[in-house]
Amino acid sequence: MKAARGSVVSKKGTPWGTIIAVVAIVALAGAVITYYMVASAPKREQKDREAAAASFAPTASDPDPSKRIPGVVTATYTGSVHVLPTERVAYDKTPPFGGPHDGYWATCTGTVYPNAVRTENMVHALEHGAVWIAYNPQQITGDALNLLKVRAEGKPYTMLSPYPGLDKPISLQSWGHQLKLDAADDARIDEFIAALRSNPNGVYPEVGASCDALGPGQFDPDNPPPFDPSKPGPDAKAMDYKGSTGAQADQTGGMGQQQPAPSTGAPAPSATPTK
């Protein structure tokens, strides 16, 4: 009898297969959780940065909170002065943040452009209330670039692009406003965005305008017109240019969508830079 019992016990043995399976499942679950925590960390940290910058949201009594941000430069520009897709503008600032621009705006629906985009299209997006985060690709890479991407990717009325030759690592633009910075972890980035992105208090010309591209053949966000690094030639349009006949014009339609309309080439006042 004892021999039989011993034989049964010896046959049962240790359930190594079950143990290995359980250990594998626990390890997999741990890896998934760790990956999620690491992958989601930038977005969670960005929520904290946005919460810290919430006091810079515009209100009726504080229509332009960017005035409280050290380093912000402002200028006054007239909107709706359009040039042709073949024309360039001799902008007074680098990167520009207002002035004559292409009749087609760059997509600014949380768009991260891997390559530099034609300046005249980017400026038009600012007229619609967008914030443009530009960076020097020689100075901003790796983790620093990821810090900028999390500020822009998927965020309405926001766009990010490299800007070759930029005199600072980072430059933020909204219509009539600019802030140049040295580091991607600077809290003023989030303050600038909170103060000026889609600000409804008249700090940009076309409140309610769309950030969606008009369509293929007009502005294609997957194949945008490239940035021209060369100095504008003698035929470039000055900052006091009145607009090109035949250039695309736009009007604010229902639901904030821009509807194309023929350009009249009507004169417009010149831009007056201020600080």
Side-chain angles (χ1 to χ4, degrees), residues 182-248:
D182 293 316
D185 60 356
D186 196 313
R188 287 176 292 172
I189 296 175
D190 304 284
E191 294 169 356
F192 186 95
I193 294 171
L196 294 167
R197 182 173 59 193
S198 300
N199 184 316
N201 297 313
V203 298
Y204 62 95
E206 296 181 0
V207 176
S210 173
C211 250
D212 290 321
L214 288 172
Q218 299 174 18
F219 184 90
D220 182 357
D222 296 322
N223 187 29
F227 174 77
D228 188 343
S230 66
K231 184 178 179 180
D235 59 342
K237 309 308 177 186
M239 292 301 292
D240 60 355
Y241 187 60
K242 310 304 181 184
S244 299
T245 300
Q248 183 75 10

Coordinates of all heavy atoms in Angstrom, one line a residue, residues 182-248:
D182 N 15.2 79.0 -25.8 CA 16.4 78.2 -25.9 C 16.1 76.7 -25.6 O 16.9 75.8 -26.1 CB 17.5 78.6 -25.0 CG 18.1 80.0 -25.4 OD1 18.3 80.2 -26.6 OD2 18.2 80.9 -24.5
A183 N 15.1 76.4 -24.9 CA 14.9 75.0 -24.4 C 13.4 74.6 -24.6 O 12.5 75.4 -24.4 CB 15.2 75.0 -22.9
A184 N 13.2 73.3 -24.9 CA 11.9 72.7 -25.1 C 11.1 72.5 -23.8 O 9.9 72.3 -23.9 CB 12.0 71.4 -25.9
D185 N 11.8 72.6 -22.7 CA 11.1 72.4 -21.4 C 10.7 73.8 -20.8 O 10.3 73.8 -19.6 CB 11.9 71.6 -20.4 CG 13.2 72.2 -20.1 OD1 13.6 73.3 -20.7 OD2 14.0 71.6 -19.3
D186 N 10.8 74.9 -21.5 CA 10.5 76.2 -21.0 C 9.0 76.3 -20.8 O 8.2 76.1 -21.8 CB 11.0 77.3 -22.0 CG 11.0 78.6 -21.4 OD1 10.0 79.0 -20.7 OD2 12.0 79.3 -21.5
A187 N 8.5 76.7 -19.6 CA 7.1 76.8 -19.3 C 6.4 77.8 -20.2 O 5.2 77.8 -20.4 CB 6.9 77.0 -17.9
R188 N 7.2 78.8 -20.7 CA 6.5 79.8 -21.5 C 5.9 79.3 -22.8 O 5.1 80.0 -23.4 CB 7.6 80.9 -21.8 CG 7.9 81.8 -20.6 CD 9.0 82.8 -20.9 NE 10.3 82.1 -21.1 CZ 11.4 82.7 -21.5 NH1 11.3 84.0 -21.8 NH2 12.5 82.1 -21.7
I189 N 6.4 78.1 -23.3 CA 5.8 77.5 -24.5 C 4.3 77.3 -24.2 O 3.4 77.7 -25.0 CB 6.5 76.2 -24.9 CG1 7.9 76.5 -25.2 CG2 5.7 75.5 -26.0 CD1 8.7 75.2 -25.5
D190 N 4.0 76.7 -23.1 CA 2.6 76.4 -22.8 C 1.8 77.6 -22.5 O 0.6 77.7 -22.8 CB 2.5 75.4 -21.7 CG 3.3 74.1 -22.0 OD1 2.8 73.3 -22.8 OD2 4.5 74.0 -21.5
E191 N 2.4 78.6 -21.9 CA 1.8 79.9 -21.6 C 1.4 80.6 -22.8 O 0.3 81.2 -23.0 CB 2.7 80.7 -20.7 CG 2.9 80.1 -19.3 CD 4.0 80.8 -18.5 OE1 4.7 81.7 -19.1 OE2 4.3 80.4 -17.4
F192 N 2.3 80.6 -23.8 CA 2.1 81.3 -25.1 C 0.9 80.6 -25.8 O 0.0 81.3 -26.3 CB 3.3 81.2 -25.9 CG 3.3 81.9 -27.2 CD1 3.8 83.2 -27.3 CD2 2.8 81.3 -28.4 CE1 3.8 83.9 -28.6 CE2 2.8 82.0 -29.6 CZ 3.3 83.3 -29.7
I193 N 0.9 79.3 -25.8 CA -0.2 78.6 -26.5 C -1.5 78.8 -25.8 O -2.5 79.1 -26.4 CB 0.1 77.1 -26.5 CG1 1.3 76.8 -27.4 CG2 -1.1 76.3 -27.0 CD1 1.9 75.4 -27.4
A194 N -1.5 78.8 -24.5 CA -2.8 79.0 -23.7 C -3.3 80.4 -24.0 O -4.5 80.6 -24.1 CB -2.5 78.8 -22.2
A195 N -2.4 81.4 -24.1 CA -2.8 82.8 -24.3 C -3.3 83.1 -25.6 O -4.2 83.9 -25.8 CB -1.6 83.7 -23.9
L196 N -2.8 82.5 -26.7 CA -3.0 83.0 -28.0 C -3.7 82.0 -29.0 O -4.2 82.4 -30.0 CB -1.6 83.4 -28.6 CG -1.0 84.6 -27.9 CD1 0.4 84.8 -28.3 CD2 -1.8 85.9 -28.2
R197 N -3.6 80.7 -28.8 CA -4.2 79.8 -29.7 C -5.8 79.9 -29.7 O -6.4 79.8 -28.6 CB -3.9 78.3 -29.3 CG -4.5 77.3 -30.3 CD -3.9 75.9 -30.0 NE -4.2 75.5 -28.7 CZ -3.6 74.4 -28.1 NH1 -2.7 73.7 -28.7 NH2 -3.9 74.1 -26.9
S198 N -6.3 80.3 -30.8 CA -7.8 80.5 -31.0 C -8.3 81.5 -30.0 O -9.5 81.4 -29.5 CB -8.5 79.2 -30.8 OG -8.1 78.2 -31.7
N199 N -7.5 82.5 -29.6 CA -7.9 83.5 -28.7 C -9.1 84.3 -29.4 O -9.0 84.8 -30.5 CB -6.7 84.5 -28.5 CG -7.1 85.6 -27.5 OD1 -8.1 86.2 -27.6 ND2 -6.1 85.9 -26.6
P200 N -10.2 84.4 -28.7 CA -11.4 84.9 -29.3 C -11.5 86.4 -29.2 O -12.6 87.0 -29.7 CB -12.6 84.3 -28.6 CG -12.0 84.1 -27.2 CD -10.5 83.8 -27.4
N201 N -10.5 87.1 -28.7 CA -10.6 88.5 -28.4 C -10.0 89.4 -29.4 O -9.6 90.5 -29.1 CB -10.0 88.8 -27.0 CG -10.7 88.1 -25.9 OD1 -11.9 88.1 -25.8 ND2 -10.0 87.4 -25.1
G202 N -10.0 89.0 -30.7 CA -9.5 89.9 -31.7 C -8.0 90.1 -31.9 O -7.6 91.1 -32.4
V203 N -7.3 89.1 -31.4 CA -5.8 89.2 -31.5 C -5.3 88.7 -32.9 O -4.1 88.8 -33.2 CB -5.1 88.5 -30.4 CG1 -5.4 89.1 -29.0 CG2 -5.4 87.0 -30.4
Y204 N -6.2 88.1 -33.6 CA -5.9 87.7 -35.0 C -7.1 88.0 -35.9 O -8.2 88.2 -35.4 CB -5.5 86.2 -35.1 CG -6.6 85.3 -34.7 CD1 -7.5 84.7 -35.6 CD2 -6.8 84.9 -33.3 CE1 -8.5 83.8 -35.2 CE2 -7.8 84.0 -32.9 CZ -8.6 83.5 -33.9 OH -9.6 82.6 -33.5
P205 N -6.9 88.2 -37.2 CA -7.9 88.8 -38.1 C -9.1 87.9 -38.3 O -10.2 88.5 -38.4 CB -7.2 89.0 -39.4 CG -5.7 89.0 -39.1 CD -5.6 88.1 -37.9
E206 N -9.0 86.6 -38.4 CA -10.2 85.8 -38.9 C -10.6 84.8 -37.8 O -10.4 83.6 -37.9 CB -9.8 85.1 -40.2 CG -9.5 86.1 -41.3 CD -9.1 85.4 -42.7 OE1 -9.1 84.1 -42.7 OE2 -8.9 86.1 -43.6
V207 N -11.3 85.3 -36.8 CA -11.8 84.5 -35.8 C -12.9 83.5 -36.3 O -13.8 83.9 -37.1 CB -12.5 85.4 -34.7 CG1 -13.1 84.5 -33.6 CG2 -11.4 86.3 -34.0
G208 N -12.8 82.3 -36.0 CA -13.7 81.3 -36.5 C -13.3 80.6 -37.8 O -14.0 79.7 -38.2
A209 N -12.2 81.0 -38.3 CA -11.7 80.4 -39.6 C -11.2 79.0 -39.4 O -10.7 78.6 -38.3 CB -10.6 81.3 -40.3
S210 N -11.3 78.2 -40.4 CA -10.9 76.8 -40.3 C -9.4 76.6 -40.4 O -8.7 77.4 -41.0 CB -11.5 76.0 -41.4 OG -11.1 74.7 -41.5
C211 N -8.9 75.5 -39.8 CA -7.5 75.1 -39.9 C -7.3 73.9 -40.9 O -6.2 73.5 -41.1 CB -6.9 74.8 -38.5 SG -5.7 76.0 -37.9
D212 N -8.4 73.4 -41.4 CA -8.3 72.3 -42.4 C -7.9 72.8 -43.7 O -8.2 73.9 -44.1 CB -9.7 71.6 -42.6 CG -10.1 70.8 -41.3 OD1 -9.3 70.2 -40.7 OD2 -11.3 70.9 -41.0
A213 N -7.0 72.1 -44.4 CA -6.6 72.4 -45.7 C -7.8 72.4 -46.7 O -8.8 71.7 -46.5 CB -5.5 71.5 -46.2
L214 N -7.7 73.3 -47.7 CA -8.8 73.3 -48.7 C -9.0 72.1 -49.5 O -10.1 71.7 -49.8 CB -8.6 74.6 -49.6 CG -8.8 75.9 -48.9 CD1 -8.4 77.0 -49.9 CD2 -10.3 76.1 -48.5
G215 N -7.9 71.4 -49.9 CA -8.0 70.2 -50.6 C -6.8 70.0 -51.6 O -6.0 70.9 -51.7
P216 N -6.8 68.9 -52.3 CA -5.7 68.6 -53.2 C -5.6 69.7 -54.3 O -6.6 70.2 -54.8 CB -6.1 67.3 -53.8 CG -7.0 66.6 -52.8 CD -7.7 67.8 -52.1
G217 N -4.4 70.0 -54.6 CA -4.2 71.1 -55.6 C -4.2 72.5 -55.0 O -3.9 73.4 -55.7
Q218 N -4.5 72.6 -53.7 CA -4.5 73.9 -53.1 C -3.5 73.9 -52.0 O -2.5 74.6 -52.1 CB -6.0 74.2 -52.6 CG -7.0 74.2 -53.7 CD -8.4 74.3 -53.3 OE1 -8.7 74.7 -52.1 NE2 -9.3 74.0 -54.1
F219 N -3.7 73.1 -50.9 CA -2.6 72.9 -49.9 C -2.8 71.4 -49.5 O -3.8 71.1 -48.9 CB -2.7 73.8 -48.7 CG -1.5 73.6 -47.8 CD1 -0.4 74.3 -48.0 CD2 -1.6 72.7 -46.8 CE1 0.7 74.1 -47.1 CE2 -0.5 72.4 -45.9 CZ 0.6 73.2 -46.1
D220 N -1.8 70.6 -49.8 CA -1.8 69.2 -49.5 C -0.9 69.0 -48.3 O 0.3 69.1 -48.4 CB -1.3 68.4 -50.7 CG -1.4 66.9 -50.4 OD1 -1.7 66.5 -49.2 OD2 -1.1 66.1 -51.3
P221 N -1.4 68.7 -47.1 CA -0.6 68.6 -45.9 C 0.4 67.4 -46.0 O 1.4 67.4 -45.3 CB -1.6 68.4 -44.7 CG -2.8 67.9 -45.4 CD -2.8 68.5 -46.7
D222 N 0.1 66.4 -46.8 CA 1.0 65.3 -47.0 C 2.1 65.6 -48.0 O 3.1 64.9 -48.1 CB 0.2 64.1 -47.5 CG -0.8 63.6 -46.5 OD1 -0.4 63.6 -45.3 OD2 -1.9 63.2 -46.9
N223 N 1.9 66.6 -48.8 CA 3.0 67.0 -49.7 C 2.9 68.6 -49.9 O 2.6 69.1 -50.9 CB 2.7 66.4 -51.1 CG 3.9 66.6 -52.1 OD1 5.0 66.8 -51.7 ND2 3.5 66.7 -53.4
P224 N 3.3 69.3 -48.8 CA 3.1 70.7 -48.8 C 4.2 71.4 -49.6 O 5.3 70.8 -49.9 CB 3.3 71.1 -47.3 CG 4.2 70.0 -46.8 CD 3.8 68.8 -47.5
P225 N 4.0 72.6 -50.1 CA 5.0 73.3 -50.8 C 6.2 73.5 -49.9 O 6.1 73.9 -48.7 CB 4.4 74.7 -51.1 CG 3.2 74.8 -50.2 CD 2.8 73.4 -49.9
P226 N 7.4 73.3 -50.4 CA 8.6 73.3 -49.6 C 9.1 74.7 -49.2 O 8.8 75.7 -49.9 CB 9.7 72.6 -50.5 CG 9.2 72.9 -51.9 CD 7.7 72.9 -51.8
F227 N 9.8 74.8 -48.1 CA 10.4 76.0 -47.6 C 11.6 76.4 -48.6 O 12.3 75.6 -49.1 CB 11.0 75.7 -46.2 CG 11.8 76.8 -45.7 CD1 11.2 78.0 -45.1 CD2 13.2 76.7 -45.6 CE1 12.0 79.0 -44.6 CE2 14.0 77.7 -45.0 CZ 13.3 78.9 -44.5
D228 N 11.7 77.7 -48.9 CA 12.7 78.2 -49.7 C 13.7 78.9 -48.8 O 13.4 80.0 -48.3 CB 12.2 79.2 -50.8 CG 13.2 79.6 -51.8 OD1 14.4 79.4 -51.5 OD2 12.8 80.1 -52.9
P229 N 14.9 78.4 -48.6 CA 15.9 79.0 -47.7 C 16.6 80.2 -48.3 O 17.3 80.9 -47.5 CB 16.9 77.9 -47.4 CG 16.8 77.1 -48.6 CD 15.4 77.1 -49.2
S230 N 16.5 80.4 -49.6 CA 17.2 81.5 -50.2 C 16.6 82.9 -49.8 O 15.4 83.0 -49.5 CB 17.2 81.4 -51.7 OG 15.9 81.5 -52.2
K231 N 17.4 83.9 -49.9 CA 16.9 85.3 -49.6 C 16.0 85.7 -50.7 O 16.2 85.5 -51.9 CB 18.1 86.2 -49.6 CG 17.7 87.7 -49.2 CD 19.0 88.5 -49.1 CE 18.6 90.0 -48.8 NZ 19.8 90.8 -48.7
P232 N 14.8 86.3 -50.4 CA 13.9 86.8 -51.4 C 14.6 87.7 -52.4 O 15.3 88.6 -52.0 CB 12.8 87.4 -50.6 CG 12.9 86.8 -49.2 CD 14.3 86.5 -49.0
G233 N 14.2 87.6 -53.6 CA 14.8 88.4 -54.7 C 14.2 89.8 -54.8 O 13.3 90.1 -54.0
P234 N 14.6 90.6 -55.7 CA 14.1 92.0 -55.9 C 12.6 92.0 -56.3 O 11.9 93.0 -56.1 CB 14.9 92.6 -57.0 CG 15.5 91.4 -57.7 CD 15.7 90.3 -56.7
D235 N 12.1 90.9 -56.7 CA 10.6 90.8 -57.1 C 9.8 90.4 -55.9 O 8.5 90.3 -56.1 CB 10.4 89.9 -58.3 CG 10.9 88.5 -58.0 OD1 11.7 88.3 -57.1 OD2 10.5 87.5 -58.8
A236 N 10.3 90.1 -54.8 CA 9.5 89.7 -53.6 C 8.6 90.9 -53.2 O 9.0 92.0 -53.3 CB 10.5 89.3 -52.5
K237 N 7.5 90.5 -52.6 CA 6.5 91.5 -52.2 C 6.9 92.1 -50.9 O 7.2 91.4 -49.9 CB 5.1 90.9 -52.2 CG 4.7 90.1 -53.5 CD 4.9 91.0 -54.7 CE 4.6 90.2 -56.0 NZ 4.9 91.0 -57.2
A238 N 6.8 93.4 -50.8 CA 7.1 94.1 -49.6 C 6.0 94.0 -48.5 O 4.9 93.5 -48.8 CB 7.4 95.6 -49.8
M239 N 6.3 94.3 -47.3 CA 5.3 94.2 -46.2 C 4.2 95.1 -46.4 O 3.1 94.9 -45.8 CB 6.0 94.5 -44.9 CG 7.0 93.4 -44.4 SD 6.3 91.7 -44.3 CE 5.2 91.9 -42.9
D240 N 4.3 96.2 -47.2 CA 3.2 97.1 -47.4 C 2.5 96.8 -48.8 O 1.8 97.6 -49.3 CB 3.7 98.5 -47.4 CG 4.7 98.9 -48.4 OD1 5.2 97.9 -49.1 OD2 5.1 100.0 -48.6
Y241 N 2.7 95.6 -49.3 CA 2.1 95.1 -50.5 C 0.6 95.1 -50.4 O 0.1 94.8 -49.3 CB 2.6 93.8 -50.9 CG 2.2 93.2 -52.2 CD1 2.5 93.9 -53.4 CD2 1.5 92.1 -52.4 CE1 2.2 93.4 -54.6 CE2 1.1 91.6 -53.6 CZ 1.5 92.3 -54.7 OH 1.1 91.8 -56.0
K242 N -0.1 95.4 -51.5 CA -1.5 95.6 -51.4 C -2.3 94.3 -51.8 O -3.5 94.2 -51.7 CB -2.0 96.7 -52.3 CG -1.3 98.0 -52.1 CD -1.3 98.5 -50.6 CE -0.6 99.8 -50.5 NZ -0.6 100.2 -49.0
G243 N -1.6 93.3 -52.3 CA -2.3 92.1 -52.7 C -2.2 91.8 -54.2 O -2.3 92.8 -55.0
S244 N -2.1 90.6 -54.7 CA -2.0 90.2 -56.1 C -3.3 90.0 -56.7 O -4.1 89.2 -56.1 CB -1.1 89.0 -56.2 OG 0.2 89.2 -55.7
T245 N -3.5 90.5 -57.9 CA -4.7 90.3 -58.6 C -4.8 88.8 -59.0 O -3.8 88.2 -59.5 CB -4.8 91.1 -59.9 OG1 -4.8 92.5 -59.5 CG2 -6.1 90.8 -60.7
G246 N -5.9 88.1 -58.7 CA -6.0 86.7 -59.1 C -5.6 85.8 -57.9 O -5.7 84.6 -58.0
A247 N -5.0 86.3 -56.8 CA -4.6 85.5 -55.7 C -5.9 85.0 -55.0 O -6.9 85.7 -55.0 CB -3.8 86.3 -54.7
Q248 N -5.8 83.8 -54.4 CA -6.9 83.3 -53.7 C -7.3 84.1 -52.5 O -6.5 84.5 -51.7 CB -6.6 81.8 -53.2 CG -7.7 81.1 -52.5 CD -8.8 80.6 -53.5 OE1 -8.6 80.7 -54.7 NE2 -9.9 80.1 -53.0

